[in-house]
Amino acid sequence: MGRLVPAVTRALDVLELFLQGEGTLSAPEVTRKLQLPRTTVHELLTTLAARSYLVTVPEQPGRYRLGVRTYQLGSRYAEQLDLAAEGQQVAREVAETCGETVHVAILEDTEVIYIAKVDSTHAVRMVSAAGRKLPAHCTSVGKLLLAALPEAELDARLDGRELIAMTDNSLTDAAELRAALAVVRKRGIAVEHRESNPDVSCVAAPVRDRSGRVVAALSISVPMIRWSEEREAELAQLAAGGADALSGRLGHHRGQI
Protein backbone atom coordinates (compact mmCIF):
# COMPACT_ATOMS: atom_id res chain seq x y z
CA MET A 1 0.00 0.00 0.00
CA GLY A 2 1.32 3.46 -0.90
CA ARG A 3 1.98 6.26 1.56
CA LEU A 4 -0.95 8.47 2.48
CA VAL A 5 -0.59 12.16 1.60
CA PRO A 6 -1.21 14.21 4.78
CA ALA A 7 -2.54 17.30 2.98
CA VAL A 8 -5.07 15.24 1.03
CA THR A 9 -6.12 13.39 4.18
CA ARG A 10 -6.73 16.67 5.99
CA ALA A 11 -8.75 18.08 3.09
CA LEU A 12 -10.94 14.98 3.09
CA ASP A 13 -11.31 15.23 6.86
CA VAL A 14 -12.70 18.73 6.37
CA LEU A 15 -15.22 17.55 3.78
CA GLU A 16 -16.25 14.59 5.91
CA LEU A 17 -17.19 16.89 8.78
CA PHE A 18 -20.26 17.73 6.73
CA LEU A 19 -21.27 14.06 6.85
CA GLN A 20 -21.89 14.55 10.56
CA GLY A 21 -24.93 16.69 9.81
CA GLU A 22 -23.26 20.08 9.82
CA GLY A 23 -24.90 22.43 7.32
CA THR A 24 -22.23 25.11 7.62
CA LEU A 25 -18.87 25.35 9.36
CA SER A 26 -16.52 28.15 10.27
CA ALA A 27 -12.74 28.02 10.34
CA PRO A 28 -12.63 28.04 14.18
CA GLU A 29 -15.09 25.13 14.28
CA VAL A 30 -12.98 23.12 11.83
CA THR A 31 -9.87 23.94 13.83
CA ARG A 32 -11.48 22.72 17.04
CA LYS A 33 -13.04 19.57 15.57
CA LEU A 34 -9.92 18.42 13.70
CA GLN A 35 -7.32 19.76 16.14
CA LEU A 36 -5.36 21.39 13.32
CA PRO A 37 -3.38 24.64 13.28
CA ARG A 38 -5.43 27.69 12.29
CA THR A 39 -3.11 28.46 9.35
CA THR A 40 -3.50 24.93 8.00
CA VAL A 41 -7.29 25.12 8.27
CA HIS A 42 -7.34 28.48 6.50
CA GLU A 43 -5.26 27.07 3.63
CA LEU A 44 -7.45 23.98 3.37
CA LEU A 45 -10.68 25.98 3.31
CA THR A 46 -9.30 28.44 0.78
CA THR A 47 -8.15 25.62 -1.52
CA LEU A 48 -11.41 23.68 -1.28
CA ALA A 49 -13.40 26.84 -1.97
CA ALA A 50 -11.19 27.68 -4.96
CA ARG A 51 -12.00 24.24 -6.43
CA SER A 52 -15.75 24.60 -5.67
CA TYR A 53 -15.81 21.80 -3.10
CA LEU A 54 -16.84 24.44 -0.56
CA VAL A 55 -18.50 27.83 -0.94
CA THR A 56 -18.85 30.70 1.48
CA VAL A 57 -22.30 31.47 2.86
CA PRO A 58 -23.22 35.04 1.81
CA GLU A 59 -25.58 35.68 4.69
CA GLN A 60 -23.15 34.17 7.22
CA PRO A 61 -19.67 35.66 6.74
CA GLY A 62 -16.85 33.30 7.65
CA ARG A 63 -18.93 30.16 7.24
CA TYR A 64 -18.70 27.49 4.55
CA ARG A 65 -21.05 24.92 3.09
CA LEU A 66 -20.57 22.15 0.53
CA GLY A 67 -20.11 23.34 -3.06
CA VAL A 68 -21.33 22.14 -6.42
CA ARG A 69 -18.31 19.94 -7.05
CA THR A 70 -19.28 17.58 -4.25
CA TYR A 71 -22.75 17.31 -5.79
CA GLN A 72 -21.25 16.55 -9.20
CA LEU A 73 -19.07 13.82 -7.76
CA GLY A 74 -21.99 12.29 -5.89
CA SER A 75 -24.17 12.41 -8.99
CA ARG A 76 -21.45 10.79 -11.06
CA TYR A 77 -21.06 8.05 -8.48
CA ALA A 78 -24.81 7.42 -8.47
CA GLU A 79 -24.85 7.26 -12.26
CA GLN A 80 -22.13 4.63 -12.27
CA LEU A 81 -23.91 2.61 -9.62
CA ASP A 82 -27.06 2.60 -11.74
CA LEU A 83 -25.07 1.81 -14.86
CA ALA A 84 -23.30 -1.09 -13.18
CA ALA A 85 -26.55 -2.59 -11.85
CA GLU A 86 -28.44 -2.19 -15.12
CA GLY A 87 -25.39 -3.32 -17.07
CA GLN A 88 -25.11 -6.52 -15.06
CA GLN A 89 -28.74 -7.38 -15.81
CA VAL A 90 -28.43 -6.72 -19.55
CA ALA A 91 -25.08 -8.53 -19.70
CA ARG A 92 -26.75 -11.56 -18.14
CA GLU A 93 -29.51 -11.51 -20.75
CA VAL A 94 -27.02 -11.21 -23.62
CA ALA A 95 -24.83 -13.98 -22.19
CA GLU A 96 -27.84 -16.28 -21.89
CA THR A 97 -28.51 -15.76 -25.59
CA CYS A 98 -24.99 -16.31 -26.93
CA GLY A 99 -23.32 -18.37 -24.20
CA GLU A 100 -20.21 -16.18 -24.33
CA THR A 101 -18.58 -13.76 -21.88
CA VAL A 102 -20.21 -10.32 -21.81
CA HIS A 103 -18.72 -7.14 -20.33
CA VAL A 104 -19.88 -3.59 -19.76
CA ALA A 105 -17.07 -1.05 -19.44
CA ILE A 106 -16.50 2.67 -18.96
CA LEU A 107 -13.56 4.87 -19.94
CA GLU A 108 -11.19 6.41 -17.39
CA ASP A 109 -8.52 8.54 -19.05
CA THR A 110 -6.86 6.04 -21.43
CA GLU A 111 -8.00 2.88 -19.65
CA VAL A 112 -11.25 0.96 -19.51
CA ILE A 113 -12.80 -0.32 -16.30
CA TYR A 114 -15.11 -3.33 -16.47
CA ILE A 115 -18.11 -2.52 -14.28
CA ALA A 116 -20.22 -5.59 -15.13
CA LYS A 117 -19.39 -9.09 -16.32
CA VAL A 118 -21.17 -12.38 -16.97
CA ASP A 119 -19.11 -15.49 -17.73
CA SER A 120 -19.47 -17.79 -20.69
CA THR A 121 -21.16 -21.13 -20.11
CA HIS A 122 -18.46 -22.90 -22.14
CA ALA A 123 -15.56 -24.75 -20.54
CA VAL A 124 -13.12 -22.76 -22.70
CA ARG A 125 -13.77 -19.11 -21.97
CA MET A 126 -12.17 -15.75 -21.31
CA VAL A 127 -10.87 -15.21 -17.78
CA SER A 128 -11.50 -11.68 -16.49
CA ALA A 129 -13.11 -9.82 -13.60
CA ALA A 130 -15.34 -6.83 -12.94
CA GLY A 131 -13.23 -3.92 -11.72
CA ARG A 132 -10.28 -4.84 -13.90
CA LYS A 133 -8.54 -2.07 -15.86
CA LEU A 134 -7.00 -2.47 -19.31
CA PRO A 135 -5.43 -0.06 -21.82
CA ALA A 136 -8.31 1.27 -23.92
CA HIS A 137 -6.48 0.95 -27.23
CA CYS A 138 -6.11 -2.81 -26.76
CA THR A 139 -9.82 -3.57 -26.31
CA SER A 140 -12.98 -3.35 -28.39
CA VAL A 141 -14.80 -1.47 -25.62
CA GLY A 142 -11.90 0.93 -25.27
CA LYS A 143 -11.62 1.66 -28.97
CA LEU A 144 -15.34 2.31 -29.13
CA LEU A 145 -15.22 4.68 -26.16
CA LEU A 146 -12.16 6.50 -27.50
CA ALA A 147 -13.85 6.86 -30.89
CA ALA A 148 -16.85 8.51 -29.23
CA LEU A 149 -14.75 11.31 -27.72
CA PRO A 150 -14.68 14.78 -29.32
CA GLU A 151 -11.51 15.21 -31.37
CA ALA A 152 -9.97 17.74 -28.99
CA GLU A 153 -10.55 15.50 -25.98
CA LEU A 154 -9.15 12.49 -27.82
CA ASP A 155 -6.03 14.49 -28.67
CA ALA A 156 -5.63 15.55 -25.05
CA ARG A 157 -5.80 11.94 -23.86
CA LEU A 158 -3.57 10.39 -26.50
CA ASP A 159 -0.94 13.00 -27.36
CA GLY A 160 2.40 12.07 -25.86
CA ARG A 161 1.10 8.76 -24.46
CA GLU A 162 2.96 5.54 -25.11
CA LEU A 163 0.66 2.86 -26.51
CA ILE A 164 1.82 -0.26 -24.74
CA ALA A 165 1.35 -3.70 -26.27
CA MET A 166 -0.51 -6.50 -24.52
CA THR A 167 -0.06 -8.93 -27.41
CA ASP A 168 1.69 -8.98 -30.78
CA ASN A 169 -1.56 -7.72 -32.33
CA SER A 170 -1.94 -4.65 -30.10
CA LEU A 171 -1.96 -1.27 -31.84
CA THR A 172 1.10 0.68 -30.70
CA ASP A 173 1.25 3.30 -33.45
CA ALA A 174 -0.84 6.43 -32.87
CA ALA A 175 -1.65 6.89 -36.56
CA GLU A 176 -2.84 3.28 -36.87
CA LEU A 177 -4.98 3.68 -33.76
CA ARG A 178 -6.59 6.85 -35.10
CA ALA A 179 -7.31 5.09 -38.39
CA ALA A 180 -8.91 2.23 -36.47
CA LEU A 181 -11.03 4.69 -34.48
CA ALA A 182 -12.24 6.26 -37.73
CA VAL A 183 -13.46 2.82 -38.83
CA VAL A 184 -15.23 2.37 -35.49
CA ARG A 185 -17.06 5.68 -35.95
CA LYS A 186 -18.18 4.66 -39.42
CA ARG A 187 -19.34 1.16 -38.42
CA GLY A 188 -20.82 2.06 -35.06
CA ILE A 189 -19.22 -1.03 -33.51
CA ALA A 190 -15.66 -2.00 -32.56
CA VAL A 191 -13.89 -5.30 -33.07
CA GLU A 192 -10.67 -6.46 -31.45
CA HIS A 193 -8.77 -9.49 -32.71
CA ARG A 194 -6.37 -10.89 -30.10
CA GLU A 195 -5.16 -7.42 -29.08
CA SER A 196 -5.56 -7.81 -25.32
CA ASN A 197 -5.50 -11.60 -25.12
CA PRO A 198 -3.75 -13.76 -27.75
CA ASP A 199 -6.57 -16.30 -27.64
CA VAL A 200 -9.63 -14.02 -27.65
CA SER A 201 -11.51 -11.70 -30.02
CA CYS A 202 -14.22 -9.25 -28.99
CA VAL A 203 -16.93 -7.08 -30.48
CA ALA A 204 -18.43 -4.03 -28.74
CA ALA A 205 -21.32 -1.59 -29.18
CA PRO A 206 -22.03 1.82 -27.61
CA VAL A 207 -24.23 2.45 -24.57
CA ARG A 208 -25.81 5.93 -24.44
CA ASP A 209 -27.46 7.89 -21.66
CA ARG A 210 -30.67 9.86 -21.96
CA SER A 211 -28.81 12.79 -23.57
CA GLY A 212 -27.42 10.54 -26.28
CA ARG A 213 -23.87 10.66 -24.95
CA VAL A 214 -21.84 7.44 -25.11
CA VAL A 215 -21.18 6.53 -21.48
CA ALA A 216 -20.17 2.88 -21.73
CA ALA A 217 -19.73 -0.03 -24.10
CA LEU A 218 -21.04 -3.58 -24.06
CA SER A 219 -18.82 -6.31 -25.47
CA ILE A 220 -18.94 -10.02 -26.21
CA SER A 221 -15.65 -11.91 -25.90
CA VAL A 222 -15.04 -15.22 -27.67
CA PRO A 223 -12.07 -17.62 -27.70
CA MET A 224 -10.58 -17.93 -31.19
CA ILE A 225 -11.61 -21.58 -31.39
CA ARG A 226 -15.25 -20.38 -31.65
CA TRP A 227 -14.61 -17.24 -33.73
CA SER A 228 -15.38 -16.79 -37.43
CA GLU A 229 -16.56 -14.03 -39.76
CA GLU A 230 -20.09 -15.37 -39.53
CA ARG A 231 -19.90 -15.51 -35.76
CA GLU A 232 -18.50 -11.96 -35.67
CA ALA A 233 -21.46 -10.63 -37.65
CA GLU A 234 -23.90 -12.49 -35.41
CA LEU A 235 -22.28 -11.26 -32.21
CA ALA A 236 -22.00 -7.68 -33.48
CA GLN A 237 -25.76 -7.64 -33.97
CA LEU A 238 -26.32 -9.17 -30.55
CA ALA A 239 -23.94 -6.71 -28.86
CA ALA A 240 -25.68 -3.80 -30.58
CA GLY A 241 -29.04 -5.10 -29.39
CA GLY A 242 -27.77 -5.48 -25.83
CA ALA A 243 -26.22 -2.01 -25.87
CA ASP A 244 -29.50 -0.55 -27.16
CA ALA A 245 -31.39 -2.33 -24.38
CA LEU A 246 -29.02 -0.94 -21.76
CA SER A 247 -29.24 2.52 -23.33
CA GLY A 248 -33.03 2.29 -23.06
CA ARG A 249 -32.74 1.48 -19.37
CA LEU A 250 -30.68 4.68 -19.01
CA GLY A 251 -33.40 6.74 -20.70
CA HIS A 252 -32.10 6.81 -24.28
CA HIS A 253 -34.55 6.15 -27.11
CA ARG A 254 -33.63 4.51 -30.40
CA GLY A 255 -33.28 7.11 -33.13
CA GLN A 256 -32.49 9.84 -30.60
CA ILE A 257 -29.43 11.93 -31.47
Side-chain angles (χ1 to χ4, degrees), residues 105-133:
I106 58 174
L107 184 66
E108 183 178 272
D109 194 17
T110 56
E111 295 181 310
V112 291
I113 303 175
Y114 294 105
I115 62 171
K117 180 217 175 185
V118 176
D119 283 320
S120 168
T121 56
H122 294 279
V124 178
R125 59 192 180 187
M126 178 183 183
V127 177
S128 64
R132 185 184 184 191
K133 287 185 178 182

mmCIF file of all heavy atoms in Angstrom, residues 105-133:
data_model
loop_
_atom_site.group_PDB
_atom_site.id
_atom_site.type_symbol
_atom_site.label_atom_id
_atom_site.label_comp_id
_atom_site.label_asym_id
_atom_site.label_seq_id
_atom_site.Cartn_x
_atom_site.Cartn_y
_atom_site.Cartn_z
ATOM 1 N N ALA A 105 -18.238 -1.795 -19.882
ATOM 2 C CA ALA A 105 -17.065 -1.055 -19.437
ATOM 3 C C ALA A 105 -17.254 0.444 -19.633
ATOM 4 O O ALA A 105 -18.035 0.884 -20.479
ATOM 5 C CB ALA A 105 -15.823 -1.514 -20.197
ATOM 6 N N ILE A 106 -16.525 1.210 -18.824
ATOM 7 C CA ILE A 106 -16.499 2.666 -18.957
ATOM 8 C C ILE A 106 -15.052 3.097 -19.189
ATOM 9 O O ILE A 106 -14.115 2.326 -18.953
ATOM 10 C CB ILE A 106 -17.070 3.380 -17.718
ATOM 11 C CG1 ILE A 106 -16.284 2.985 -16.460
ATOM 12 C CG2 ILE A 106 -18.549 3.057 -17.550
ATOM 13 C CD1 ILE A 106 -16.686 3.744 -15.212
ATOM 14 N N LEU A 107 -14.890 4.331 -19.642
ATOM 15 C CA LEU A 107 -13.565 4.870 -19.938
ATOM 16 C C LEU A 107 -13.086 5.745 -18.797
ATOM 17 O O LEU A 107 -13.831 6.584 -18.282
ATOM 18 C CB LEU A 107 -13.624 5.694 -21.229
ATOM 19 C CG LEU A 107 -12.297 6.257 -21.759
ATOM 20 C CD1 LEU A 107 -11.372 5.114 -22.197
ATOM 21 C CD2 LEU A 107 -12.560 7.197 -22.923
ATOM 22 N N GLU A 108 -11.840 5.538 -18.380
ATOM 23 C CA GLU A 108 -11.194 6.406 -17.391
ATOM 24 C C GLU A 108 -9.827 6.792 -17.940
ATOM 25 O O GLU A 108 -8.902 5.990 -17.963
ATOM 26 C CB GLU A 108 -11.045 5.695 -16.048
ATOM 27 C CG GLU A 108 -10.446 6.581 -14.969
ATOM 28 C CD GLU A 108 -10.342 5.884 -13.634
ATOM 29 O OE1 GLU A 108 -11.316 5.927 -12.858
ATOM 30 O OE2 GLU A 108 -9.273 5.283 -13.373
ATOM 31 N N ASP A 109 -9.730 8.031 -18.407
ATOM 32 C CA ASP A 109 -8.518 8.542 -19.047
ATOM 33 C C ASP A 109 -8.213 7.698 -20.289
ATOM 34 O O ASP A 109 -8.948 7.767 -21.267
ATOM 35 C CB ASP A 109 -7.349 8.565 -18.065
ATOM 36 C CG ASP A 109 -6.183 9.381 -18.581
ATOM 37 O OD1 ASP A 109 -6.383 10.187 -19.516
ATOM 38 O OD2 ASP A 109 -5.056 9.233 -18.064
ATOM 39 N N THR A 110 -7.168 6.886 -20.274
ATOM 40 C CA THR A 110 -6.857 6.044 -21.433
ATOM 41 C C THR A 110 -6.986 4.556 -21.081
ATOM 42 O O THR A 110 -6.389 3.704 -21.741
ATOM 43 C CB THR A 110 -5.430 6.324 -21.947
ATOM 44 O OG1 THR A 110 -4.487 6.135 -20.882
ATOM 45 C CG2 THR A 110 -5.329 7.734 -22.490
ATOM 46 N N GLU A 111 -7.756 4.263 -20.041
ATOM 47 C CA GLU A 111 -8.005 2.881 -19.651
ATOM 48 C C GLU A 111 -9.507 2.612 -19.604
ATOM 49 O O GLU A 111 -10.308 3.541 -19.474
ATOM 50 C CB GLU A 111 -7.398 2.575 -18.280
ATOM 51 C CG GLU A 111 -5.896 2.649 -18.232
ATOM 52 C CD GLU A 111 -5.361 2.306 -16.852
ATOM 53 O OE1 GLU A 111 -5.850 2.878 -15.877
ATOM 54 O OE2 GLU A 111 -4.451 1.452 -16.759
ATOM 55 N N VAL A 112 -9.857 1.347 -19.705
ATOM 56 C CA VAL A 112 -11.247 0.965 -19.508
ATOM 57 C C VAL A 112 -11.363 0.216 -18.187
ATOM 58 O O VAL A 112 -10.440 -0.484 -17.760
ATOM 59 C CB VAL A 112 -11.793 0.081 -20.648
ATOM 60 C CG1 VAL A 112 -11.914 0.885 -21.924
ATOM 61 C CG2 VAL A 112 -10.939 -1.154 -20.870
ATOM 62 N N ILE A 113 -12.497 0.399 -17.531
ATOM 63 C CA ILE A 113 -12.802 -0.323 -16.300
ATOM 64 C C ILE A 113 -14.043 -1.157 -16.555
ATOM 65 O O ILE A 113 -15.072 -0.632 -16.988
ATOM 66 C CB ILE A 113 -13.069 0.634 -15.134
ATOM 67 C CG1 ILE A 113 -11.888 1.564 -14.909
ATOM 68 C CG2 ILE A 113 -13.374 -0.149 -13.858
ATOM 69 C CD1 ILE A 113 -12.131 2.609 -13.848
ATOM 70 N N TYR A 114 -13.957 -2.455 -16.296
ATOM 71 C CA TYR A 114 -15.106 -3.334 -16.470
ATOM 72 C C TYR A 114 -15.993 -3.230 -15.235
ATOM 73 O O TYR A 114 -15.575 -3.571 -14.129
ATOM 74 C CB TYR A 114 -14.647 -4.770 -16.686
ATOM 75 C CG TYR A 114 -13.900 -4.949 -17.990
ATOM 76 C CD1 TYR A 114 -12.512 -5.089 -18.017
ATOM 77 C CD2 TYR A 114 -14.589 -4.943 -19.199
ATOM 78 C CE1 TYR A 114 -11.828 -5.230 -19.215
ATOM 79 C CE2 TYR A 114 -13.913 -5.090 -20.394
ATOM 80 C CZ TYR A 114 -12.541 -5.231 -20.399
ATOM 81 O OH TYR A 114 -11.885 -5.354 -21.591
ATOM 82 N N ILE A 115 -17.213 -2.734 -15.422
ATOM 83 C CA ILE A 115 -18.114 -2.522 -14.283
ATOM 84 C C ILE A 115 -19.169 -3.618 -14.168
ATOM 85 O O ILE A 115 -19.892 -3.676 -13.179
ATOM 86 C CB ILE A 115 -18.787 -1.141 -14.364
ATOM 87 C CG1 ILE A 115 -19.646 -1.030 -15.636
ATOM 88 C CG2 ILE A 115 -17.760 -0.030 -14.297
ATOM 89 C CD1 ILE A 115 -20.505 0.225 -15.666
ATOM 90 N N ALA A 116 -19.282 -4.464 -15.185
ATOM 91 C CA ALA A 116 -20.216 -5.591 -15.134
ATOM 92 C C ALA A 116 -19.652 -6.710 -15.988
ATOM 93 O O ALA A 116 -18.993 -6.461 -17.001
ATOM 94 C CB ALA A 116 -21.593 -5.183 -15.644
ATOM 95 N N LYS A 117 -19.910 -7.947 -15.587
ATOM 96 C CA LYS A 117 -19.389 -9.094 -16.319
ATOM 97 C C LYS A 117 -20.226 -10.328 -16.041
ATOM 98 O O LYS A 117 -20.620 -10.575 -14.899
ATOM 99 C CB LYS A 117 -17.943 -9.379 -15.929
ATOM 100 C CG LYS A 117 -17.331 -10.574 -16.653
ATOM 101 C CD LYS A 117 -16.409 -11.342 -15.748
ATOM 102 C CE LYS A 117 -15.899 -12.592 -16.448
ATOM 103 N NZ LYS A 117 -15.085 -13.427 -15.559
ATOM 104 N N VAL A 118 -20.510 -11.081 -17.104
ATOM 105 C CA VAL A 118 -21.167 -12.378 -16.971
ATOM 106 C C VAL A 118 -20.337 -13.387 -17.759
ATOM 107 O O VAL A 118 -20.011 -13.157 -18.924
ATOM 108 C CB VAL A 118 -22.617 -12.352 -17.497
ATOM 109 C CG1 VAL A 118 -23.227 -13.747 -17.419
ATOM 110 C CG2 VAL A 118 -23.447 -11.354 -16.702
ATOM 111 N N ASP A 119 -19.990 -14.495 -17.119
ATOM 112 C CA ASP A 119 -19.114 -15.486 -17.734
ATOM 113 C C ASP A 119 -19.819 -16.325 -18.791
ATOM 114 O O ASP A 119 -21.035 -16.540 -18.734
ATOM 115 C CB ASP A 119 -18.549 -16.429 -16.671
ATOM 116 C CG ASP A 119 -17.439 -15.794 -15.871
ATOM 117 O OD1 ASP A 119 -16.607 -15.083 -16.467
ATOM 118 O OD2 ASP A 119 -17.411 -16.001 -14.639
ATOM 119 N N SER A 120 -19.006 -16.826 -19.712
ATOM 120 C CA SER A 120 -19.474 -17.790 -20.692
ATOM 121 C C SER A 120 -19.873 -19.095 -20.001
ATOM 122 O O SER A 120 -19.365 -19.433 -18.929
ATOM 123 C CB SER A 120 -18.358 -18.068 -21.709
ATOM 124 O OG SER A 120 -18.663 -19.190 -22.500
ATOM 125 N N THR A 121 -20.762 -19.820 -20.632
ATOM 126 C CA THR A 121 -21.157 -21.131 -20.107
ATOM 127 C C THR A 121 -20.257 -22.240 -20.634
ATOM 128 O O THR A 121 -20.381 -23.387 -20.204
ATOM 129 C CB THR A 121 -22.613 -21.436 -20.499
ATOM 130 O OG1 THR A 121 -22.746 -21.342 -21.923
ATOM 131 C CG2 THR A 121 -23.565 -20.450 -19.837
ATOM 132 N N HIS A 122 -19.356 -21.895 -21.559
ATOM 133 C CA HIS A 122 -18.460 -22.900 -22.136
ATOM 134 C C HIS A 122 -17.289 -23.188 -21.203
ATOM 135 O O HIS A 122 -16.883 -22.344 -20.397
ATOM 136 C CB HIS A 122 -17.918 -22.415 -23.487
ATOM 137 C CG HIS A 122 -18.960 -22.283 -24.539
ATOM 138 N ND1 HIS A 122 -19.440 -23.344 -25.273
ATOM 139 C CD2 HIS A 122 -19.621 -21.189 -24.998
ATOM 140 C CE1 HIS A 122 -20.354 -22.924 -26.138
ATOM 141 N NE2 HIS A 122 -20.485 -21.616 -25.984
ATOM 142 N N ALA A 123 -16.731 -24.386 -21.338
ATOM 143 C CA ALA A 123 -15.563 -24.754 -20.535
ATOM 144 C C ALA A 123 -14.357 -23.900 -20.912
ATOM 145 O O ALA A 123 -13.580 -23.479 -20.048
ATOM 146 C CB ALA A 123 -15.246 -26.239 -20.728
ATOM 147 N N VAL A 124 -14.194 -23.639 -22.213
ATOM 148 C CA VAL A 124 -13.118 -22.762 -22.698
ATOM 149 C C VAL A 124 -13.691 -21.368 -22.808
ATOM 150 O O VAL A 124 -14.592 -21.117 -23.608
ATOM 151 C CB VAL A 124 -12.580 -23.231 -24.061
ATOM 152 C CG1 VAL A 124 -11.493 -22.278 -24.555
ATOM 153 C CG2 VAL A 124 -12.039 -24.650 -23.952
ATOM 154 N N ARG A 125 -13.195 -20.447 -22.006
ATOM 155 C CA ARG A 125 -13.766 -19.108 -21.967
ATOM 156 C C ARG A 125 -12.713 -18.100 -21.526
ATOM 157 O O ARG A 125 -11.656 -18.459 -21.020
ATOM 158 C CB ARG A 125 -14.938 -19.062 -20.983
ATOM 159 C CG ARG A 125 -14.565 -19.447 -19.557
ATOM 160 C CD ARG A 125 -15.800 -19.655 -18.714
ATOM 161 N NE ARG A 125 -15.460 -20.036 -17.348
ATOM 162 C CZ ARG A 125 -16.348 -20.407 -16.440
ATOM 163 N NH1 ARG A 125 -17.639 -20.438 -16.757
ATOM 164 N NH2 ARG A 125 -15.975 -20.740 -15.228
ATOM 165 N N MET A 126 -13.059 -16.831 -21.706
ATOM 166 C CA MET A 126 -12.169 -15.747 -21.312
ATOM 167 C C MET A 126 -12.170 -15.608 -19.798
ATOM 168 O O MET A 126 -13.216 -15.662 -19.160
ATOM 169 C CB MET A 126 -12.633 -14.439 -21.958
ATOM 170 C CG MET A 126 -11.797 -13.231 -21.580
ATOM 171 S SD MET A 126 -12.460 -11.717 -22.303
ATOM 172 C CE MET A 126 -11.227 -10.530 -21.764
ATOM 173 N N VAL A 127 -10.991 -15.418 -19.221
ATOM 174 C CA VAL A 127 -10.868 -15.207 -17.776
ATOM 175 C C VAL A 127 -10.676 -13.715 -17.531
ATOM 176 O O VAL A 127 -9.725 -13.109 -18.030
ATOM 177 C CB VAL A 127 -9.680 -15.997 -17.188
ATOM 178 C CG1 VAL A 127 -9.535 -15.706 -15.700
ATOM 179 C CG2 VAL A 127 -9.867 -17.488 -17.435
ATOM 180 N N SER A 128 -11.582 -13.106 -16.796
ATOM 181 C CA SER A 128 -11.503 -11.679 -16.493
ATOM 182 C C SER A 128 -12.262 -11.429 -15.197
ATOM 183 O O SER A 128 -12.748 -12.363 -14.568
ATOM 184 C CB SER A 128 -12.091 -10.844 -17.633
ATOM 185 O OG SER A 128 -13.473 -11.121 -17.767
ATOM 186 N N ALA A 129 -12.406 -10.147 -14.836
ATOM 187 C CA ALA A 129 -13.113 -9.816 -13.603
ATOM 188 C C ALA A 129 -13.635 -8.397 -13.665
ATOM 189 O O ALA A 129 -12.998 -7.511 -14.246
ATOM 190 C CB ALA A 129 -12.180 -9.973 -12.397
ATOM 191 N N ALA A 130 -14.815 -8.190 -13.073
ATOM 192 C CA ALA A 130 -15.338 -6.835 -12.943
ATOM 193 C C ALA A 130 -14.384 -6.033 -12.070
ATOM 194 O O ALA A 130 -13.842 -6.543 -11.089
ATOM 195 C CB ALA A 130 -16.730 -6.855 -12.335
ATOM 196 N N GLY A 131 -14.167 -4.769 -12.438
ATOM 197 C CA GLY A 131 -13.232 -3.923 -11.720
ATOM 198 C C GLY A 131 -11.851 -3.900 -12.331
ATOM 199 O O GLY A 131 -11.028 -3.046 -11.981
ATOM 200 N N ARG A 132 -11.589 -4.797 -13.270
ATOM 201 C CA ARG A 132 -10.275 -4.839 -13.899
ATOM 202 C C ARG A 132 -10.096 -3.656 -14.845
ATOM 203 O O ARG A 132 -11.038 -3.212 -15.499
ATOM 204 C CB ARG A 132 -10.113 -6.146 -14.673
ATOM 205 C CG ARG A 132 -8.723 -6.342 -15.268
ATOM 206 C CD ARG A 132 -8.638 -7.605 -16.095
ATOM 207 N NE ARG A 132 -7.291 -7.826 -16.580
ATOM 208 C CZ ARG A 132 -6.971 -8.742 -17.496
ATOM 209 N NH1 ARG A 132 -7.912 -9.509 -18.017
ATOM 210 N NH2 ARG A 132 -5.725 -8.876 -17.894
ATOM 211 N N LYS A 133 -8.877 -3.144 -14.932
ATOM 212 C CA LYS A 133 -8.544 -2.069 -15.860
ATOM 213 C C LYS A 133 -7.639 -2.610 -16.956
ATOM 214 O O LYS A 133 -6.762 -3.428 -16.700
ATOM 215 C CB LYS A 133 -7.812 -0.927 -15.147
ATOM 216 C CG LYS A 133 -8.665 -0.072 -14.240
ATOM 217 C CD LYS A 133 -7.842 1.095 -13.710
ATOM 218 C CE LYS A 133 -8.663 2.009 -12.841
ATOM 219 N NZ LYS A 133 -7.866 3.170 -12.368
#
